[in-house]
Structures are given as C-alpha cells and as structure tokens.
Amino acid sequence: MGYKHGIYGELVPSSESITTTKTVAVYVGTAPIHRVKKENRVINKPLLIRNLEQAQTKLGYRESDDFDKFTLSGAVFAHFANKIEAIGPIVVIVVDTLKGAESVTKDLDIINGIGTIADNAIIDSLTISDKVLDTDYKVKYDASGNLTIIGDDLEESVSVTYKRVDLTLIKTADIIGIYDEDEETRTGIQAISDVYEDLNLVPAIVAAPGYSQIKEVEQALVKITSKITDRWEAICYTDLDSSVAMTREMAIEWKNENKYNSNCEKTCWPKVISGGRELWLSILAIVRKLQTDAKNGDVPYETASNKAIDVDSLIANDKRIKFSQEKANELNEKGITTAIYSGGKYVLWGPHMSNYEYGVTNAIEEIFDVNIIMNKYLLNDFQLRNIDKIDKPMTRNDIDALINSEQMMLNAYVSAGELLFGEISFKSDENVRSDLLQGDFKFTTLVTNTLPAKSITQKIQTTSKGIDSLYSEEE
C-alpha cells in the first residue's frame, strides 16, 4: 500500500448472494429504457434479469423511479431490494415506450462543465449545437435518473435537442401485444411465447402489474397461461383496481362484476407500501411464492399464504387501511388474496386461486392454489424430462422403463411430503390399437396433492379431574 494522507472511502462488493429459483416469473410492462443506449436496448423480447446491476444496465432501472409509470421497476425493486430475501432471476418483457417520442429543444445551463436534464430523454437522441458527442461532451444517466451532460469546454449555456418519452402514449393494446404471422414476431403479453425458445426457461408465472386491473389485460394473461408454445402451463397473478375497490366489500363486488374468476389466476387486493414505496400486491405475492419454492427445492407444493412479506402497510386509493384476520377471510372465501398483520409482521393471506368460492368450489383439484400450481408443475416437468423420447422406438420394455422412472419420481415426492400419493400407469383402454399404430402413447398419473392446514382449531373443555390432585394419598 502506497503513502496516503487524508480521508478515504471504498466500495466493497456485498457478501450476500441472490437466492435463485427455477420457478420463472415473467413480467410485462414499462421500463426506463430511454436510459439504455440503442445497441443494448431490448424491446418486446424476453430479457433475463438476475440482479439490480443488470436491471440498471439492461432496463435503466433506478430506485427513485416512479413505479406507476415504470411498472417493471416496481418488480425489480420488490425482487432484489426487499428486506426478507432477494430472489431471482426474473424475465421481463418491455413494451416500446420510445414510440411517438417528441423532439424537445431547450437552453441548458452548464455549471462547472456539467448540465443536468430532469426529463425522460432518450440518451442517444441528445445533440448539442456545433458539438460532437464523445469529443466535445459525454452523456450518461446518474443515480437519480437524470441525464447528465459533461464537457469541460462547454459554454455556460448550450442549446440541446433530444427526444422525450411520453408514457401517456402507452395503451392497453401495447401491453396485450400482437403476433405478426408474416414477420413471426410478438409483442407485449404475446411475447411470453418466446421465453422458452429465447432463454431456455419455462414460464411458470406471468404478470403485468400496473395493467392487470384492466379487464382486457387480465383476459390476455389468463389466455396465455395455457399451452404456451403449445406445451407449457403457467398461472398468472392479477390485481383488483384499488383506486375503485376501496373497501373489502367493494373489492368483492368489483371482482365479481369484472369476472376475475379463472382457476389459473391468483388475484390480489389491495396495494401495499413496501420500503416506503407503493406497490401492487401481486408483485409481493410472486416474490413470496418464489422465496417459498426456493426453500423447497423449487417444487411448488407449499402455498405462500401466511408467509412474511416486506410490507409496511396496506393502501387503497391513497388511503391506508387495516383489517383483522376474520375480515381478511371474507376476501379469501371469495378467491381474493390479501395481506394481514400477524405475529409482528405482515404476511400474505389467501391459499386459493381466483375461481374459489367457499361452499361452491368442490372440485378437489381447484380448492387450493397449490393443487393447481403443483399439477401444472408436474405436467411441465414430465415434458422437460421426456422430450428426448419423442421419435425413438417404443417397445414394451421402453414403456416399462418410463413407468419405472416416473414412479420413482412420484415416490420421491411422496417421501418428501410434496405429494400424498402418486401413481403412473399405461392403460390398455386409453391406448387403443389405432392410436398406437399412429405412434400415439398415453400415460395416466394419479396424484393426491399435499393439503395445506387452512385452519387449526383447539377445543378447550373444563373438567373436574384436576381436583384429585388436591387430596393426599390417604384421602
């Protein structure tokens, strides 16, 4: 170490690592990509984000972002900056916020060779009259999300021109997206179908927080969960509109009127305050689900309900609200997931999907969220592990080998408590000769999902038996 004289500081990399999970969550929404240079900018394509650093370089994320305007920044904040456990990776699909950007020309004050633009300026669109980029000046976005112009030889005032992003131009149709058959391209929610081919990841959870309270977006999310690229099964997380549904009664009414009732959908209410920031509860619910799965070897058999979430308070229409467990149960029995304060912390509260209604939902595979999630997981996992068997010879020995290997997997799930029962079979009545001659084989798997203890009741009854202890042995 050389000679030093003075006060020093040094940034040391964190010793904490991000917990990773194979349960892949895909978010669709807006991000400050105007801060990202054109050559690094990814729009309407699946993008893998592993940590805050990647979020900053790939999405332009800053913690000071307006999460209502940049909805994916809220997801990044919840996943990688929460106080419980950073969890990832996540996949994001950024809609095109640059389209329709208007040109702005203004005089900018330069102080000590530095000028600052507090605007959503596209970084590579900025020009200065009679100046050359990277020769006379440089541009970058600072930690606060402001565009900084640096140049030692700049005058005290310069004329700058840039394109400014107008987020009011983003419409529902942009989030839903389209599939262009001629170009074989997809945008918005439709681009979820590109996740497997582009990233070799199976989308298990899809969401569009900040937009899923719009019925058309919710419908698109529900539709995309089934047979993604003709193969994969997922669930979606949605939110009720907290600006309209300001009370529990209004939330239930809003859900029913807008028919948020799919068995592949988990609907949340209200919004929450987390780390001093207002967030959609669906994001925190997804974070909690990934944290729970990571602790269970990525097998999603355990509900995230009654697990701690990084929440300071609940909020609806800018008003902070609170309610008891029994009041929250009124939401749960209508298929709404919420949060309550319990045991000195806020926990997610609600083990059902949106289709659930107490006394009405009787199909055993649709009572709890983990029933549906676990069964979809088993389908996806079976396809992932057995894809190489397609177009190979299938003899009786091959059939038996597949049954044996799959039964071992099911037995392992049962031994670990991840299933209560699992059995695979090859039935002759489901594999008629004409189907086999066409090369079509069908295997049947019976499972009993592990049940969550939705309620535990203790009964205390007074008895006189204890009186006997007051007597001596002689008495």
Side-chain angles (χ1 to χ4, degrees):
M1 181 182 295
Y3 173 79
K4 288 187 176 182
H5 179 203
I7 186 168
Y8 305 93
E10 182 180 354
L11 291 175
V12 179
S14 172
S15 60
E16 298 181 8
S17 60
I18 302 226
T19 301
T20 59
T21 175
K22 293 179 181 177
T23 304
V24 180
V26 183
Y27 290 96
V28 181
T30 54
I33 53 171
H34 56 273
R35 299 174 185 152
V36 180
K37 293 184 178 180
K38 186 176 182 180
E39 59 268 24
N40 299 321
R41 200 179 291 148
V42 178
I43 297 174
N44 279 315
K45 292 182 179 180
L47 183 61
L48 188 65
I49 304 295
R50 298 182 181 277
N51 49 46
L52 283 176
E53 182 180 354
Q54 288 189 351
Q56 291 167 358
T57 57
K58 294 182 179 182
L59 297 179
Y61 166 82
R62 300 292 187 275
E63 189 171 322
S64 58
D65 288 344
D66 185 333
F67 295 165
D68 286 332
K69 292 180 178 179
F70 301 115
T71 59
L72 295 179
S73 292
V76 167
F77 177 81
H79 277 269
F80 302 117
N82 76 80
K83 298 175 184 176
I84 297 176
E85 179 183 46
I87 189 77
I90 60 174
V91 174
V92 298
I93 296 171
V94 186
V95 301
D96 190 359
T97 57
L98 308 186
K99 66 175 186 177
E102 61 178 344
S103 182
V104 176
T105 299
K106 62 190 295 185
D107 292 330
L108 181 67
D109 292 332
I110 303 297
I111 302 174
N112 296 326
I114 298 176
T116 301
I117 299 176
D119 203 352
N120 295 327
I122 302 175
I123 188 169
D124 43 27
S125 71
L126 186 136
T127 60
I128 300 178
S129 299
D130 303 322
K131 301 294 180 181
V132 179
L133 178 64
D134 292 331
T135 299
D136 300 314
Y137 68 97
K138 296 182 182 296
V139 295
K140 69 174 184 178
Y141 268 96
D142 63 20
S144 299
N146 296 321
L147 184 60
T148 303
I149 296 92
I150 304 170
D152 293 334
D153 298 326
L154 294 178
E155 295 82 2
E156 292 183 355
S157 179
V158 296
S159 177
V160 299
T161 300
Y162 59 88
K163 289 185 177 180
R164 177 172 57 197
V165 169
D166 184 359
L167 292 166
T168 63
L169 298 177
I170 300 300
K171 305 300 180 185
T172 299
D174 297 311
I175 303 299
I176 296 173
I178 60 171
Y179 169 50
D180 188 326
E181 293 186 12
D182 295 331
E183 299 292 331
E184 281 290 327
T185 58
R186 299 176 176 87
T187 64
I189 290 173
Q190 308 311 311
I192 293 173
S193 296
D194 294 330
V195 170
Y196 179 65
E197 185 172 346
D198 288 4
L199 302 176
N200 194 31
L201 295 171
V202 176
I205 295 172
V206 299
Y211 295 97
S212 65
Q213 75 279 12
I214 301 170
K215 179 59 181 177
E216 293 82 2
V217 174
E218 182 260 357
Q219 288 178 315
L221 286 170
V222 169
K223 185 177 180 180
I224 201 72
T225 59
S226 179
K227 302 298 180 185
I228 301 174
T229 60
D230 302 322
R231 294 174 66 183
W232 312 118
E233 295 289 334
I235 63 167
C236 65
Y237 279 65
T238 60
D239 292 282
L240 303 182
D241 191 343
S242 295
S243 65
V244 178
M246 296 176 284
T247 64
R248 297 185 311 280
E249 294 77 14
M250 294 173 73
I252 294 170
E253 182 180 357
W254 195 97
K255 176 181 183 290
N256 291 335
E257 288 180 352
N258 290 277
K259 295 181 172 57
Y260 278 47
N261 55 14
S262 171
N263 63 3
C264 65
E265 170 186 28
K266 195 163 179 66
T267 297
C268 305
W269 180 88
K271 296 180 78 175
V272 297
I273 300 296
S274 177
R277 307 299 300 278
E278 187 172 320
L279 290 171
W280 294 94
L281 180 57
S282 65
I283 303 176
L284 276 299
I286 293 172
V287 169
R288 184 61 260 182
K289 181 56 180 165
L290 266 58
Q291 291 169 336
T292 303
D293 290 354
K295 286 180 169 58
N296 292 322
D298 294 314
V299 180
Y301 75 100
E302 183 177 359
T303 182
S305 181
N306 198 26
K307 307 292 192 303
I309 54 178
D310 184 14
V311 166
D312 304 319
S313 61
L314 311 181
I315 187 169
N317 196 32
D318 297 326
K319 181 180 179 181
R320 301 200 178 198
I321 58 177
K322 59 179 67 175
F323 40 79
S324 65
Q325 173 182 296
E326 289 307 310
K327 296 300 183 182
N329 287 347
E330 295 175 6
L331 297 169
N332 290 171
E333 69 178 22
K334 297 296 183 179
I336 300 173
T337 297
T338 187
I340 63 170
Y341 189 79
S342 176
K345 60 186 178 300
Y346 272 94
V347 297
L348 197 67
W349 197 252
H352 309 292
M353 300 297 276
S354 302
N355 66 299
Y356 181 81
E357 185 172 353
Y358 180 66
V360 176
T361 304
N362 294 316
I364 59 175
E365 72 275 15
E366 294 188 352
I367 293 177
F368 295 108
D369 52 10
V370 287
N371 297 145
I372 294 169
I373 296 170
M374 186 64 182
N375 288 348
K376 285 177 177 279
Y377 167 81
L378 293 173
L379 279 176
N380 291 341
D381 188 54
F382 179 88
Q383 293 181 71
L384 273 173
R385 290 184 291 98
N386 291 292
I387 183 62
D388 290 342
K389 292 182 173 62
I390 297 301
D391 292 333
K392 287 186 177 180
M394 183 67 80
T395 66
R396 183 65 227 187
N397 286 340
D398 295 315
I399 292 173
D400 290 338
L402 190 150
I403 290 175
N404 290 336
S405 63
E406 290 302 314
Q407 190 61 55
M408 289 177 62
M409 291 287 297
L410 292 170
N411 291 344
Y413 288 139
V414 172
S415 296
E418 297 160 350
L419 288 175
L420 296 181
F421 176 82
E423 182 181 79
I424 186 171
S425 61
F426 181 80
K427 298 180 179 180
S428 58
D429 59 342
E430 292 185 349
N431 290 275
V432 297
R433 187 165 302 200
S434 58
D435 288 341
L436 297 181
L437 289 172
Q438 293 293 329
D440 299 326
F441 294 78
K442 184 180 296 183
F443 295 84
T444 301
T445 300
L446 297 177
V447 298
T448 302
N449 300 114
T450 303
L451 301 174
K454 184 169 68 69
S455 72
I456 298 175
T457 303
Q458 180 192 26
K459 298 175 68 175
I460 296 181
Q461 186 177 30
T462 300
T463 175
S464 63
K465 292 181 179 180
I467 300 299
D468 295 342
S469 65
L470 301 179
Y471 297 104
S472 65
E473 290 185 4
E474 294 179 357
E475 295 171 321

